[in-house]
């Protein structure tokens, strides 16, 4: 299915919309798996004059009871998830959905589009309801949002920003009274005509946020931004993308194109359809150092031709090797400072160019402490980690400092090949000691018919020695295949501190995304922020239509003080009893809508419970 212009989407109409327009509605209902479900709806009028809503389905009814279970203040894991339906699978696979078209309309319900939602899961250590879904906050009237990313970390008072990959919408949620959510606002495609396909968000200290819109302006042809820049794009979900600044209610404050006036390297940056000025400007990851007035974005791919169609990739050069740094001294007018090209490494010519170390720069993560000015970047198809010691330089230089293949054996694999590791999430710890990385693993047959693929998981790198070199470090990084395979422990480059396989023995079924837990319960009974996280949560799902789906589970990985990683054996599904919360289930608090696709997650605490 090819994503078309915003007008293609069907909105829910009729009695549901009428009920929402009347305001908040509260009633108690039941489903076959959940009893005493209280439904509380919060609606807002968007720029198009229509009502948009979040509908809470609180299991256990009374909010005070839910919050007090176990007589301990609660910590929650929020998971932004999409409804799985017929649009996510090839026709031949429809029979595998829970409910088939051949069995009549009622049985086919789960194959039809249903509501997308934020799942609220009890993540309180030692809680008797640890791992239980206590609320599914569904959004409407838009369906087929393909819920994607939120921000990377949540702090008290922050709005939750959640992107809809296919619907080109950004939702803003109030989570101050968890487990119940409210809708603060929603940005629609008509508010971001300069870009499409929202990806990730970074929240600033003033509560506003920057978001990456990976796809091009909604309409093909020239588009002029408020800062006077005019770019020529090839349409919705094409190129070039933009950076958007939102207020706390998802109102757009500014849009800035990620394109350079002169275009990018024509050989390395293809576009379909072709543009007169080739561009790699498809920003995906986004993080900022406000103290340095610097924003970093990473270009992943032209999304229309990669993510939204289950077809063979037309060209490896639709996956991007570029990182962009921005001056954000004027928060509402980011200025693009530099476009840096990640280098190829020692195995670049061993396989298809798609798997060269520099390909598909999905994410970048900044360091945090004063005195540190560096940032890391990773590549999804290239399977590598890169570092630049100073993001404030006019032209940052990036060095390869790790190859995912050096983590393979610690994840239970038999080879040390990093190509096509399908890594996604990468994040520095708040204390700058560790680098966390989630990889899905290489799918079977990727590098040839006899390729067995690799198990994915979470690994942790110790980066203390590297950061200690300061902002003037000038390499070298990884130079040889042997260094890439072994980890190149030369006293400076990162070393492997820990690794936890996810779905061992199943190629390409590991996690795509994650979030660290930045809260700890204090002696006063309240939660406080910590700079030394002791666990991360990860989700095993990418984008079904890309052919890289996953088993739709969410796991927690425990971290020791020295970085060792182990899968939390107590975080179990409330129905199956198996480790990990399984989003492939028949029933949810909001009804029997079947399987769901968990893409991103955050640890969050209600305002009253955190100091």
């Amino acid at each position: 299915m090819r994503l078309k212009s915003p007008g293609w989407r069907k909105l829910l109409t009729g009695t549901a919309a009428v009920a929402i327009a009347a305001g908040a509605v509260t009633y108690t209902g039941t489903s076959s798996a959940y009893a005493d479900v209280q439904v509380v709806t919060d609606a807002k009028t968007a720029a198009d004059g229509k009502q948009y809503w979040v509908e809470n389905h609180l299991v256990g009814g009374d909010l005070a009871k839910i919050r007090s279970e176990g007589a301990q203040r609660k910590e929650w894991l929020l998971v932004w998830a999409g409804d799985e339906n017929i649009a996510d699978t090839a026709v031949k696979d429809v029979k595998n959905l829970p409910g088939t078209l051949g069995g009549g309309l009622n049985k086919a319900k789960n194959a039809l589009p249903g509501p997308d939602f934020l799942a609220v899961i009890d993540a309180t250590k030692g809680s008797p309801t640890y791992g239980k879904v206590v609320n599914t906050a569904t959004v409407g009237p838009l369906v087929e949002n393909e819920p994607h990313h939120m921000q990377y970390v949540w702090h008290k008072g922050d709005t939750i920003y959640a992107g809809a990959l296919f619907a080109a919408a950004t939702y803003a949620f109030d989570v101050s009274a968890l487990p119940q959510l409210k809708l603060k606002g929603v940005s629609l495609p008509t508010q971001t005509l300069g870009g499409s396909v929202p990806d990730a968000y970074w929240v600033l200290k003033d509560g506003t946020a920057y978001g990456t819109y990976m796809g091009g302006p909604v309409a093909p042809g020239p588009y002029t931004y408020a800062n006077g820049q005019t770019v020529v794009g090839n349409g919705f979900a094409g190129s070039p993308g933009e950076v958007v600044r939102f207020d706390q209610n998802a109102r757009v404050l500014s849009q800035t194109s990620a394109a350079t006036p002169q275009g990018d390297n024509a050989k390395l940056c293809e576009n379909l359809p072709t543009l007169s000025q080739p561009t790699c400007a498809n920003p995906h990851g986004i993080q900022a150092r406000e103290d340095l007035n610097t924003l970093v974005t990473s270009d992943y791919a032209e999304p229309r031709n990669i993510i939204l169609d289950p077809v063979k990739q037309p060209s490896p050069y639709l996956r991007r090797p570029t990182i962009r740094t921005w001056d954000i001294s004027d928060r509402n007018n980011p200025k693009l400072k530099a476009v840096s090209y990640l280098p190829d490494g020692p195995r670049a010519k061993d396989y298809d160019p798609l798997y060269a170390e520099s390909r598909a720069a999905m994410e970048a993560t900044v360091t945090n402490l004063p005195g540190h000015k560096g940032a890391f970047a990773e590549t999804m198809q290239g399977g590598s980690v890169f570092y630049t010691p100073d993001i404030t330089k006019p032209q940052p230089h990036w060095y390869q400092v790790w190859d995912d293949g050096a983590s393979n054996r610690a994840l239970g694999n038999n080879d040390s090949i990093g190509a096509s590791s399908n890594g996604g999430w990468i994040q520095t710890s708040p204390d700058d000691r560790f680098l966390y990385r989630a990889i899905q693993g290489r799918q079977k047959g990727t590098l040839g018919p006899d390729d067995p693929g690799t198990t994915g998981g979470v690994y942790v790198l110790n980066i203390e020695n590297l950061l200690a070199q300061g902002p003037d470090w000038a390499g070298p990084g990884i130079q040889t295949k042997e260094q890439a395979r072994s980890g190149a422990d030369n006293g400076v480059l990162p070393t492997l501190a820990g690794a936890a396989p996810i779905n061992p023995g199943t190629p390409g079924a590991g996690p795509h995304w994650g979030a660290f837990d930045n809260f700890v319960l204090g002696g006063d009974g309240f939660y406080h922020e910590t700079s030394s996280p002791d666990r991360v949560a990860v989700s095993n799902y990418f984008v079904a239509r890309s052919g890289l789906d996953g088993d739709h589970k969410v796991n927690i990985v425990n971290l020791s003080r020295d970085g060792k990683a182990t899968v939390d054996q107590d975080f179990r599904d409330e129905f199956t009893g198996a480790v990990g919360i399984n989003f492939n289930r028949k029933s949810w608090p909001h009804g029997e809508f079947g399987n769901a696709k968990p893409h991103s997650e955050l640890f969050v605490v209600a305002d009253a419970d955190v100091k």
Side-chain angles (χ1 to χ4, degrees), residues 77-122:
L77 184 67
L78 269 59
V79 182
W80 185 216
D83 174 69
E84 182 187 76
N85 55 65
I86 193 173
D88 295 308
T89 62
V91 173
K92 65 183 178 63
D93 290 331
V94 170
K95 64 180 181 296
N96 295 324
L97 289 172
T100 67
L101 295 175
L105 183 60
N106 290 335
K107 292 184 179 180
K109 178 179 180 181
N110 293 327
L112 301 177
D116 302 315
F117 59 94
L118 266 170
V120 183
I121 301 172
D122 187 348

Side-chain angles (χ1 to χ4, degrees), residues 453-543:
T454 55
T455 292
V458 173
Y459 70 78
V460 181
L461 298 179
N462 187 304
I463 55 175
E464 292 178 283
N465 289 343
L466 179 58
L467 269 57
Q469 306 307 307
D472 295 323
W473 181 70
I478 289 176
Q479 302 290 302
T480 67
K481 291 181 184 179
E482 177 54 34
Q483 286 180 316
R485 296 187 188 106
S486 66
D489 184 4
N490 60 1
V492 173
L493 296 184
T495 55
L496 187 65
I502 305 287
N503 289 327
T506 305
H512 164 69
W513 207 249
F516 60 68
D517 181 2
N518 55 311
F519 296 101
V520 62
L521 188 64
D524 58 0
F526 289 88
Y527 287 94
H528 302 260
E529 288 215 33
T530 176
S531 62
S532 302
D534 62 3
R535 59 179 180 168
V536 300
V538 292
S539 46
N540 306 337
Y541 173 68
F542 180 51
V543 177

Side-chain angles (χ1 to χ4, degrees), residues 180 322 372 397 541 575 597 605:
Q180 182 177 320
T322 44
H372 294 164
H397 185 81
Y541 173 68
F575 296 125
K597 306 168 295 182
V605 180

Side-chain angles (χ1 to χ4, degrees), residues 382-402:
S384 297
V385 176
F386 301 83
Y387 175 69
T388 187
D390 189 351
I391 57 175
T392 68
K393 287 185 176 180
Q395 186 63 59
H397 185 81
W398 295 80
Y399 304 87
Q400 185 189 357
V401 295
W402 188 262

Side-chain angles (χ1 to χ4, degrees), residues 326-407:
W326 308 68
D327 180 349
I328 55 170
S329 300
D330 179 351
R331 297 291 192 261
N332 250 10
N333 187 27
K335 294 180 180 178
L336 184 61
K337 288 172 52 178
V339 178
S340 305
Y341 290 80
L342 299 177
D344 283 338
R347 57 171 169 78
K349 296 182 179 180
D350 289 356
Y351 309 104
D352 185 293
L354 175 61
Y355 309 127
E357 288 90 340
S358 64
R359 282 291 135 193
M362 175 171 278
E363 283 296 311
T365 180
V366 296
T367 52
N368 304 289
L369 300 181
H372 294 164
K373 295 183 178 181
F376 293 87
E378 63 83 33
T379 50
M380 185 175 182
Q381 269 60 55
S384 297
V385 176
F386 301 83
Y387 175 69
T388 187
D390 189 351
I391 57 175
T392 68
K393 287 185 176 180
Q395 186 63 59
H397 185 81
W398 295 80
Y399 304 87
Q400 185 189 357
V401 295
W402 188 262
D403 190 291
D404 285 343
S407 315

Side-chain angles (χ1 to χ4, degrees), residues 290-356:
E290 290 188 70
D291 58 328
L292 302 178
N293 285 320
T294 301
L295 180 74
V296 181
T297 60
S298 50
D299 297 319
Y300 171 53
E302 190 170 78
R304 176 177 53 223
N305 298 296
I306 304 298
I307 300 173
L308 307 180
D309 285 311
V311 297
K312 181 176 175 60
Q313 177 164 313
S315 166
Y317 300 107
L318 290 169
R319 305 267 186 167
R320 310 310 192 191
T322 44
I323 307 292
R324 293 168 198 263
T325 48
W326 308 68
D327 180 349
I328 55 170
S329 300
D330 179 351
R331 297 291 192 261
N332 250 10
N333 187 27
K335 294 180 180 178
L336 184 61
K337 288 172 52 178
V339 178
S340 305
Y341 290 80
L342 299 177
D344 283 338
R347 57 171 169 78
K349 296 182 179 180
D350 289 356
Y351 309 104
D352 185 293
L354 175 61
Y355 309 127

